[in-house]
Amino acid sequence: MKMPFNPAFADQLDSPERRRALPIKEILRYILSLPVGREVAVDIGAGTGYLTIPLSWVFRKVYAVEANPKMAKLLEKRLSERGITNVEVIISEKPPEISERPDLVSFSLSLHEIEGWKNYLYWSSRAEYILIIEWCVDSPKGPPREEKIPREELINLKGFKLVLSRVRFPYYLVIYGRQRG
């Protein structure tokens, strides 16, 4: 059974150590290099907004999907304190029901927490691009080794067009483009 993130450790999601290991400017540089519209982004497992808030600077509308109500409350507080109004927080363990087709769906250190993550990824394939940031299996940080998703398993998924794959230990980043035809 997968262990969801404990909100008692929410301060670690925006710590100086995480900012050094996973610099948001680098992630935004990858996103901005994609030939994608800047209308709608969906951030799955939004947590306290480490990626959600920067996405709100780039996209007209961001849906921040968070399964844990306590984490969603923390995110709403951070958004309010910053005056960010283009983010809608959705509390759900399932893919959100949104009328717009997203330009980007992101999973930042959250895919491994989702039961049936492949099904969630296939829901995400309606977006132009999918950004996945996950833990390297050999990293001593993060969830237990058996809960981590091997990079090889992600980059070899059928039905997805691999655009970019980078390792930035203790994390790796994968970007998929939507399959055409």
Side-chain angles (χ1 to χ4, degrees):
M1 181 172 147
K2 296 181 184 229
M3 296 296 295
F5 185 80
N6 184 342
F9 300 108
D11 59 328
Q12 293 178 10
L13 297 179
D14 203 16
S15 68
E17 179 184 6
R18 185 175 191 198
R19 289 194 174 277
R20 278 190 300 277
L22 191 61
I24 205 68
K25 285 183 181 178
E26 186 175 319
I27 297 167
L28 284 179
R29 201 169 25 253
Y30 287 130
I31 292 169
L32 291 171
S33 72
L34 298 171
V36 64
R38 305 280 187 255
E39 289 298 309
V40 178
V42 181
D43 188 19
I44 309 296
T48 58
Y50 185 77
L51 185 56
T52 304
I53 291 170
L55 288 174
S56 76
W57 306 333
V58 176
F59 289 88
R60 176 188 58 78
K61 177 77 174 181
V62 178
Y63 294 94
V65 181
E66 177 52 56
N68 187 306
K70 289 180 182 176
M71 295 297 287
K73 197 79 151 163
L74 289 171
L75 174 56
E76 287 172 338
K77 181 178 183 233
R78 290 188 76 202
L79 295 168
S80 176
E81 289 170 351
R82 288 166 174 76
I84 297 172
T85 59
N86 64 330
V87 175
E88 180 180 330
V89 178
I90 299 171
I91 301 172
S92 179
E93 291 183 9
K94 297 177 180 163
E97 293 183 21
I98 57 175
S99 59
E100 302 163 285
R101 193 184 69 152
D103 296 300
L104 176 76
V105 173
S106 64
F107 298 86
S108 180
L109 302 174
S110 60
L111 191 62
H112 68 273
E113 293 183 1
I114 299 172
E115 290 291 339
W117 60 266
K118 286 183 182 176
N119 291 331
Y120 214 127
L121 264 186
Y122 285 108
W123 170 86
S124 302
S125 68
R126 62 191 264 193
E128 286 296 317
Y129 290 93
I130 304 169
L131 165 69
I132 302 167
I133 302 168
E134 269 300 334
W135 295 96
C136 291
V137 172
D138 295 332
S139 171
K141 298 199 179 272
R145 182 183 181 94
E146 62 273 7
E147 291 183 19
K148 295 176 182 173
I149 302 169
R151 178 173 163 262
E152 297 74 27
E153 190 172 342
L154 274 180
I155 62 176
N156 292 316
L157 281 177
K158 302 257 186 276
F160 292 89
K161 184 177 104 188
L162 185 65
V163 174
L164 176 76
S165 176
R166 296 279 186 273
V167 175
R168 192 179 212 294
F169 196 81
Y171 312 110
Y172 65 85
L173 177 140
V174 174
I175 297 177
Y176 288 112
R178 191 159 60 99
Q179 285 281 52
R180 306 280 183 215

Coordinates of all heavy atoms in Angstrom, one line a residue, residues 119-150:
N119 N -3.2 4.7 -15.3 CA -4.5 5.2 -15.8 C -4.6 6.7 -15.7 O -5.1 7.4 -16.6 CB -5.6 4.6 -15.0 CG -5.7 3.1 -15.3 OD1 -5.4 2.6 -16.4 ND2 -6.2 2.3 -14.3
Y120 N -4.0 7.3 -14.6 CA -4.0 8.8 -14.5 C -3.1 9.4 -15.6 O -3.5 10.4 -16.2 CB -3.4 9.1 -13.1 CG -4.0 10.4 -12.5 CD1 -4.5 10.3 -11.2 CD2 -4.1 11.6 -13.2 CE1 -5.1 11.4 -10.6 CE2 -4.7 12.7 -12.6 CZ -5.2 12.6 -11.3 OH -5.7 13.7 -10.7
L121 N -2.0 8.7 -15.9 CA -1.2 9.3 -17.0 C -2.0 9.2 -18.4 O -1.9 10.2 -19.1 CB 0.1 8.4 -17.2 CG 1.3 8.9 -16.5 CD1 2.5 8.1 -16.9 CD2 1.6 10.4 -16.8
Y122 N -2.7 8.2 -18.6 CA -3.5 8.1 -19.8 C -4.6 9.2 -19.9 O -4.8 9.7 -20.9 CB -4.0 6.7 -20.1 CG -2.9 5.8 -20.5 CD1 -2.4 4.8 -19.7 CD2 -2.3 5.9 -21.8 CE1 -1.4 4.0 -20.1 CE2 -1.3 5.1 -22.2 CZ -0.8 4.2 -21.3 OH 0.3 3.4 -21.7
W123 N -5.2 9.5 -18.7 CA -6.1 10.6 -18.7 C -5.3 11.9 -19.1 O -5.9 12.7 -19.8 CB -6.7 10.8 -17.3 CG -7.5 12.1 -17.1 CD1 -8.8 12.3 -17.4 CD2 -6.9 13.3 -16.7 NE1 -9.1 13.6 -17.2 CE2 -8.0 14.3 -16.7 CE3 -5.7 13.8 -16.2 CZ2 -7.9 15.6 -16.4 CZ3 -5.5 15.1 -15.9 CH2 -6.6 16.0 -16.0
S124 N -4.1 12.0 -18.6 CA -3.3 13.2 -18.9 C -2.9 13.4 -20.3 O -2.6 14.5 -20.8 CB -2.0 13.2 -18.0 OG -2.3 13.1 -16.7
S125 N -3.0 12.3 -21.1 CA -2.6 12.3 -22.5 C -3.4 13.2 -23.3 O -3.1 13.5 -24.5 CB -2.5 10.9 -23.1 OG -3.7 10.3 -23.2
R126 N -4.5 13.7 -22.8 CA -5.3 14.7 -23.6 C -4.7 16.0 -23.6 O -5.0 16.9 -24.4 CB -6.7 14.8 -22.9 CG -6.7 15.3 -21.5 CD -8.0 15.2 -20.8 NE -8.7 16.5 -20.8 CZ -9.7 16.8 -20.1 NH1 -10.2 15.9 -19.3 NH2 -10.3 18.0 -20.2
A127 N -3.7 16.3 -22.8 CA -2.9 17.5 -22.8 C -1.9 17.5 -23.9 O -1.5 16.4 -24.4 CB -2.2 17.7 -21.5
E128 N -1.4 18.7 -24.3 CA -0.4 18.8 -25.3 C 0.9 18.2 -24.8 O 1.7 17.5 -25.5 CB -0.1 20.2 -25.7 CG -1.2 20.7 -26.6 CD -1.3 20.0 -28.0 OE1 -0.3 19.7 -28.6 OE2 -2.4 19.7 -28.4
Y129 N 1.2 18.4 -23.5 CA 2.4 17.9 -22.9 C 2.2 17.5 -21.5 O 1.3 18.0 -20.8 CB 3.5 19.0 -22.8 CG 4.1 19.3 -24.2 CD1 3.5 20.4 -24.9 CD2 5.1 18.6 -24.8 CE1 4.0 20.7 -26.2 CE2 5.6 18.9 -26.0 CZ 5.0 19.9 -26.8 OH 5.4 20.2 -28.0
I130 N 3.0 16.5 -21.0 CA 2.9 16.0 -19.7 C 4.3 16.1 -19.1 O 5.3 15.6 -19.7 CB 2.5 14.5 -19.6 CG1 1.2 14.3 -20.3 CG2 2.5 14.0 -18.2 CD1 0.8 12.8 -20.5
L131 N 4.4 16.8 -18.0 CA 5.7 16.9 -17.2 C 5.7 16.0 -16.0 O 4.7 16.1 -15.2 CB 5.9 18.4 -16.8 CG 7.0 18.7 -15.8 CD1 8.4 18.4 -16.4 CD2 6.8 20.1 -15.2
I132 N 6.7 15.2 -15.9 CA 6.8 14.3 -14.7 C 8.1 14.5 -14.1 O 9.2 14.4 -14.7 CB 6.6 12.8 -15.1 CG1 5.3 12.6 -15.8 CG2 6.8 11.9 -13.9 CD1 5.2 11.3 -16.5
I133 N 8.1 14.8 -12.8 CA 9.3 14.8 -12.0 C 9.1 13.8 -10.9 O 8.1 13.8 -10.2 CB 9.5 16.2 -11.3 CG1 9.6 17.3 -12.4 CG2 10.8 16.2 -10.5 CD1 9.5 18.7 -11.9
E134 N 10.1 12.9 -10.8 CA 10.0 11.8 -9.8 C 11.3 11.5 -9.2 O 12.3 12.0 -9.6 CB 9.4 10.5 -10.5 CG 7.9 10.3 -10.4 CD 7.4 10.3 -9.0 OE1 8.0 9.9 -8.1 OE2 6.2 10.7 -8.9
W135 N 11.3 10.7 -8.2 CA 12.5 10.4 -7.4 C 13.3 9.3 -8.1 O 12.7 8.3 -8.6 CB 12.1 9.8 -6.0 CG 11.4 10.7 -5.1 CD1 10.0 10.9 -5.0 CD2 12.0 11.7 -4.3 NE1 9.8 11.9 -4.1 CE2 11.0 12.4 -3.6 CE3 13.3 12.0 -4.0 CZ2 11.2 13.4 -2.7 CZ3 13.6 13.0 -3.1 CH2 12.5 13.7 -2.5
C136 N 14.6 9.5 -8.2 CA 15.5 8.4 -8.7 C 15.3 7.2 -7.7 O 15.3 7.4 -6.5 CB 16.9 8.8 -8.7 SG 17.2 10.1 -10.0
V137 N 15.3 6.0 -8.2 CA 15.1 4.8 -7.4 C 16.2 4.7 -6.4 O 16.0 4.3 -5.2 CB 15.0 3.6 -8.3 CG1 15.0 2.3 -7.4 CG2 13.8 3.6 -9.1
D138 N 17.5 5.1 -6.7 CA 18.6 4.9 -5.8 C 18.8 6.1 -4.8 O 19.7 6.0 -4.0 CB 19.9 4.8 -6.7 CG 19.9 3.6 -7.5 OD1 19.3 2.6 -7.1 OD2 20.6 3.6 -8.6
S139 N 17.9 7.1 -4.9 CA 18.0 8.2 -4.0 C 17.6 7.7 -2.6 O 16.6 7.1 -2.4 CB 17.1 9.3 -4.4 OG 17.1 10.3 -3.4
P140 N 18.4 8.1 -1.6 CA 18.0 7.8 -0.2 C 16.9 8.7 0.3 O 16.3 8.4 1.3 CB 19.3 8.1 0.6 CG 20.0 9.1 -0.2 CD 19.7 8.8 -1.7
K141 N 16.6 9.7 -0.5 CA 15.4 10.6 -0.1 C 14.2 10.1 -0.7 O 14.2 9.3 -1.6 CB 15.7 12.0 -0.5 CG 17.0 12.6 0.1 CD 17.0 14.1 0.0 CE 18.2 14.7 0.7 NZ 18.0 14.9 2.1
G142 N 13.1 10.7 -0.2 CA 11.8 10.4 -0.8 C 11.1 9.1 -0.2 O 11.5 8.7 0.9
P143 N 10.2 8.6 -0.9 CA 9.4 7.4 -0.4 C 10.3 6.2 -0.4 O 11.4 6.2 -1.0 CB 8.3 7.3 -1.4 CG 8.8 7.8 -2.7 CD 9.7 9.0 -2.3
P144 N 9.8 5.1 0.2 CA 10.6 3.8 0.2 C 10.8 3.4 -1.3 O 10.0 3.7 -2.2 CB 9.6 2.8 0.9 CG 8.7 3.7 1.7 CD 8.6 5.0 1.0
R145 N 12.0 2.8 -1.5 CA 12.4 2.3 -2.8 C 11.3 1.6 -3.6 O 11.1 1.9 -4.8 CB 13.6 1.4 -2.7 CG 14.2 1.0 -4.0 CD 15.4 0.0 -3.8 NE 15.9 -0.4 -5.0 CZ 17.0 0.2 -5.6 NH1 17.5 1.3 -5.1 NH2 17.4 -0.2 -6.8
E146 N 10.5 0.8 -2.9 CA 9.5 0.0 -3.6 C 8.3 0.9 -4.1 O 7.5 0.4 -5.0 CB 9.0 -1.2 -2.8 CG 8.3 -0.8 -1.5 CD 9.3 -0.6 -0.3 OE1 10.5 -0.6 -0.5 OE2 8.7 -0.4 0.8
E147 N 8.2 2.1 -3.6 CA 7.1 3.0 -4.1 C 7.6 3.9 -5.2 O 6.8 4.5 -5.9 CB 6.6 3.9 -2.9 CG 5.9 3.1 -1.9 CD 5.3 4.0 -0.8 OE1 5.2 5.2 -1.0 OE2 5.0 3.4 0.3
K148 N 8.9 4.0 -5.5 CA 9.4 4.8 -6.5 C 9.2 4.2 -7.9 O 9.2 2.9 -8.0 CB 10.9 5.1 -6.3 CG 11.2 5.9 -5.0 CD 12.7 6.0 -4.7 CE 12.9 6.8 -3.5 NZ 14.3 6.8 -3.1
I149 N 9.0 5.0 -8.9 CA 8.8 4.5 -10.2 C 10.1 4.6 -11.0 O 10.6 5.7 -11.2 CB 7.7 5.3 -11.0 CG1 6.4 5.3 -10.2 CG2 7.5 4.8 -12.4 CD1 5.4 6.3 -10.7
P150 N 10.6 3.5 -11.5 CA 11.9 3.5 -12.2 C 11.8 4.4 -13.4 O 10.8 4.3 -14.2 CB 12.2 2.1 -12.6 CG 11.4 1.3 -11.6 CD 10.2 2.1 -11.3

